[in-house]
Amino acid sequence: NSCVLQESNGPTDAYAAIAKADRLTQEPESIRKWREEQKKRLEELDAASKVTEQEWREKAKKDLEEWNLRQNEQMEKNRANNRIADKAFYQQPDADVIGYVASEEAFLKESKEEAPGSEWEKVAQLCDFNPKSSKQSKDVSRMRSVLISLKQTPLSR
C-alpha cells in the first residue's frame, strides 16, 4: 500500500469542505452581499492606496532631486565665496595679526626664523583662545590652558 500525499491550501478533509459549503449556504443573503461588497470595497481601497503611495514616492524622489540640486549649487557658491575671501584675507598687509589665524606667508616666514623657545608662541598664534567662539565643538579648555602655560613658560631642554 502506497499512500499519495497531496498538499493543498484548502481543507484537507472532505467533511471540512462540506461543512464550509454548508456554512456559506446557511449564511443569510444580506450578509453574503455585504461580505462581497466589503471585499470589493477593500480591493478598491488597496488599489487606490497603492496608486497614492506610488504618487508619494515619485513626489518624494522629485523633491529629493531638487533639494540635492539646490544643495550642490549652494555648496559651489560657498566654495567660490570662501576662495575669494581667503585670497582677499591672505593678500592683506597685516593678515598675520587679523583674527586668530596667521596668514600662510607670515607663518612660513616666522618658521624659518627659528629662535629657541618661540615654538609655543607660533602654536599659540594658530589657536583660538576665545572660549565663546566654539560653542558646538568639544571642550578644549584643558588643552587651551596647557598651551597658554607653555607659551608663558616654555619647556627648557
Side-chain angles (χ1 to χ4, degrees):
N1 284 339
S2 64
C3 186
V4 176
L5 297 175
Q6 295 180 351
E7 293 184 17
S8 67
N9 291 333
T12 56
D13 189 27
Y15 292 111
I18 293 171
K20 184 177 179 184
D22 284 345
R23 246 185 291 125
L24 291 175
T25 57
Q26 291 175 358
E27 197 172 59
E29 183 68 23
S30 60
I31 293 178
R32 190 174 54 76
K33 282 184 181 178
W34 175 84
R35 191 180 307 274
E36 291 172 2
E37 290 173 3
Q38 187 69 7
K39 184 178 178 182
K40 189 184 293 183
R41 189 177 314 129
L42 288 175
E43 288 173 356
E44 290 172 0
L45 285 174
D46 281 345
S49 69
K50 287 181 182 178
V51 168
T52 305
E53 182 182 350
Q54 186 62 29
E55 290 173 357
W56 286 351
R57 286 181 188 269
E58 290 172 3
K59 184 180 183 298
K61 189 175 182 180
K62 181 182 172 186
D63 289 346
L64 185 61
E65 288 173 358
E66 289 176 3
W67 182 85
N68 281 332
L69 286 174
R70 284 194 310 267
Q71 188 72 8
N72 289 338
E73 288 174 4
Q74 187 64 34
M75 283 176 41
E76 287 301 321
K77 287 179 187 176
N78 286 347
R79 285 181 186 148
N81 288 340
N82 288 344
R83 286 186 190 115
I84 292 169
D86 282 348
K87 283 184 182 180
F89 176 78
Y90 287 124
Q91 289 173 354
Q92 291 178 0
D94 294 329
D96 56 334
V97 293
I98 296 174
Y100 64 89
V101 178
S103 71
E104 191 174 355
E105 293 85 12
F107 182 74
L108 290 175
K109 183 180 73 172
E110 288 178 10
S111 67
K112 291 177 185 173
E113 301 169 2
E114 279 293 323
S118 65
E119 295 88 7
W120 289 111
E121 290 179 18
K122 293 175 187 173
V123 171
Q125 285 180 340
L126 297 173
C127 296
D128 179 16
F129 291 108
N130 187 0
K132 295 180 182 177
S133 66
S134 57
K135 290 183 180 179
Q136 295 179 348
S137 64
K138 293 182 179 178
D139 182 23
V140 292
S141 57
R142 184 169 175 217
M143 183 66 177
R144 186 181 305 117
S145 64
V146 168
L147 287 174
I148 290 173
S149 66
L150 285 171
K151 179 182 173 186
Q152 292 170 353
T153 58
L155 295 174
S156 59
R157 292 185 188 191

